[in-house]
Amino acid sequence: MAVLNRILSIEAVRVTEAAAIRCARLAGCGNEHMADQAAVEAMREAFNRLPIDGTVVIGEGERDEAPMLFIGEKVGGGGVKVDIALDPLEGTTLCAKAMPNALAVMAMAEAGTLLNAPDTYMDKIAIGGGYPEGVIDLDADPADNIMRLAKAKGVKPNEITACILDRPRHEKLIARVRHAGASIQLIPDGDIAGVIATSDPAETGIDIYIGQGGAPEGVLAAAALRCVGGQMQARLVFRNDDEIARARKLGIKDLKRKYSMMDLASGDVVFAATGVTDGTMLDGVKFMEQFIYTESIVMRSATRTIRWIKTRHWRGDDD
């Protein structure tokens, strides 16, 4: 376990730092694909320097869709067996447009403990720690969830703020949340950061995350929330037969299953993220004459340890 602890903490940050630095050079370039590819390549190189026997369970897509960091790919130089979930550039649009909250993100866990989720949509609801179990329910009316959370927090519903992705599909959800009296912070992208924000409402102003986003991002968000404490429920959403076939190929039998946070990410989990652009959680990469500055966070579920890491990289080491 001591080896796991060492690898799944400081070493994890090296991976997200590498991806963040590489794609941050392209912030504002307007080319999402180019920025994402830069992050992928850097993250892949960094993984191969680690003494792990890693299997990508959440990655850039299936093997025929992604040249590297695809689902099922083996990474690392050999050693401890781990599951890996990653998003080399969470918020490709945010980076391409130099908007806030773009991140490089990854999670590592004991082998067999991360849900191998297909690249489909996922309904999600999440809150931070400190509340009784069952306060939120994915199947409840959004207004009811707001009311119950407000009661558990000891405030009125108009003192609750929900984070929701700004998408046309959320029009009715937004109306129901506002009808309950809560305010809404709409985000253009980056729902991993949105879920994590619920863990520290005093700092972020976010009490609850609700809505539909990517399933891979849902697993990563659950991994992070496991490390800091909270509640999360999710369900896969399928738009066509092809997506159902992908799920079955990954071993998912119950297509309507409501997943808890532990179903998404169990065992000992380490989560790491490095800011690409400035955001509510982390500062973005800063390029100076001689040095590059990064800010990262690394968390571990077994110990509930959270570390904020500010690093100065000598530019001679940056390619």
Side-chain angles (χ1 to χ4, degrees), residues 14-27 29 34-46 49 68 88-89 95 104 274-276 285 287 292 294 313 317-319:
R14 298 182 193 277
V15 174
T16 55
E17 285 176 343
I21 290 171
R22 190 79 63 86
C23 65
R25 292 187 175 280
L26 298 170
C29 71
M34 188 183 298
D36 186 59
Q37 186 62 29
V40 170
E41 291 175 357
M43 185 170 277
R44 182 67 168 79
E45 292 168 9
R49 290 193 288 267
M68 59 181 69
L89 180 52
C95 179
T274 300
V276 176
V285 179
F287 295 96
I292 300 170
T294 59
H313 310 261
D317 290 336
D318 176 56
D319 56 7

Side-chain angles (χ1 to χ4, degrees), residues 11-266:
E11 297 299 327
V13 175
R14 298 182 193 277
V15 174
T16 55
E17 285 176 343
I21 290 171
R22 190 79 63 86
C23 65
R25 292 187 175 280
L26 298 170
C29 71
N31 191 322
E32 296 180 15
H33 175 75
M34 188 183 298
D36 186 59
Q37 186 62 29
V40 170
E41 291 175 357
M43 185 170 277
R44 182 67 168 79
E45 292 168 9
F47 269 126
N48 282 341
R49 290 193 288 267
L50 298 187
I52 59 169
D53 178 5
T55 301
V56 176
V57 297
I58 296 292
E60 290 291 285
E62 296 184 21
R63 183 168 188 165
D64 58 353
E65 298 174 341
M68 59 181 69
L69 296 183
F70 53 81
I71 297 171
E73 183 175 2
K74 296 292 186 178
V75 296
V80 180
K81 290 184 178 295
V82 293
D83 279 355
I84 295 172
L86 55 89
D87 194 339
L89 180 52
E90 155 75 346
T92 52
T93 301
L94 301 179
C95 179
K97 295 183 177 181
M99 297 173 66
N101 288 316
L103 301 170
V105 179
M106 61 86 67
M108 286 195 284
E110 298 169 79
T113 61
L114 295 180
L115 178 69
N116 199 343
D119 190 10
T120 64
Y121 280 123
M122 177 182 273
D123 280 327
K124 312 167 193 175
I125 185 168
I127 58 174
Y131 301 107
E133 283 295 325
V135 170
I136 54 170
D137 189 334
L138 187 67
D139 294 325
D141 186 275
D144 289 340
N145 281 312
I146 296 297
M147 299 289 191
R148 285 152 58 173
L149 178 58
K151 183 178 180 181
K153 192 174 181 179
V155 301
K156 296 179 180 179
N158 63 8
E159 296 179 68
I160 296 294
T161 298
C163 180
I164 302 175
L165 274 174
D166 190 4
R167 299 288 188 273
R169 64 179 178 268
H170 288 150
E171 183 178 343
K172 291 183 179 179
L173 170 63
I174 290 169
R176 291 300 298 156
V177 170
R178 284 180 172 152
H179 180 73
S183 60
I184 294 175
Q185 184 175 128
L186 293 172
I187 55 174
D189 207 347
D191 62 343
I192 295 176
V195 171
I196 297 173
T198 66
S199 67
D200 190 5
E203 180 69 24
T204 65
I206 302 298
D207 297 289
I208 183 170
Y209 177 90
I210 317 176
Q212 194 177 99
E217 289 83 359
V219 175
L220 276 159
L225 208 58
R226 279 246 12 250
C227 296
V228 296
Q231 299 177 41
M232 182 174 177
Q233 293 180 356
R235 179 179 287 116
L236 295 171
V237 177
F238 304 102
R239 296 170 294 179
N240 51 52
D241 291 341
D242 178 63
E243 291 185 350
I244 292 175
R246 288 186 178 195
R248 294 196 185 283
K249 183 178 177 182
L250 294 176
I252 294 173
K253 298 178 181 178
D254 184 356
L255 301 179
K256 297 182 180 180
R257 179 176 177 178
K258 180 164 64 176
Y259 293 94
S260 69
M261 184 168 62
M262 288 295 292
D263 294 326
L264 298 170
S266 59

Side-chain angles (χ1 to χ4, degrees), residues 99-103 193 275-286 295:
M99 297 173 66
N101 288 316
L103 301 170
V276 176
T277 58
D278 288 343
T280 54
M281 184 169 69
L282 295 167
D283 288 338
V285 179
K286 301 292 188 297
E295 185 176 23

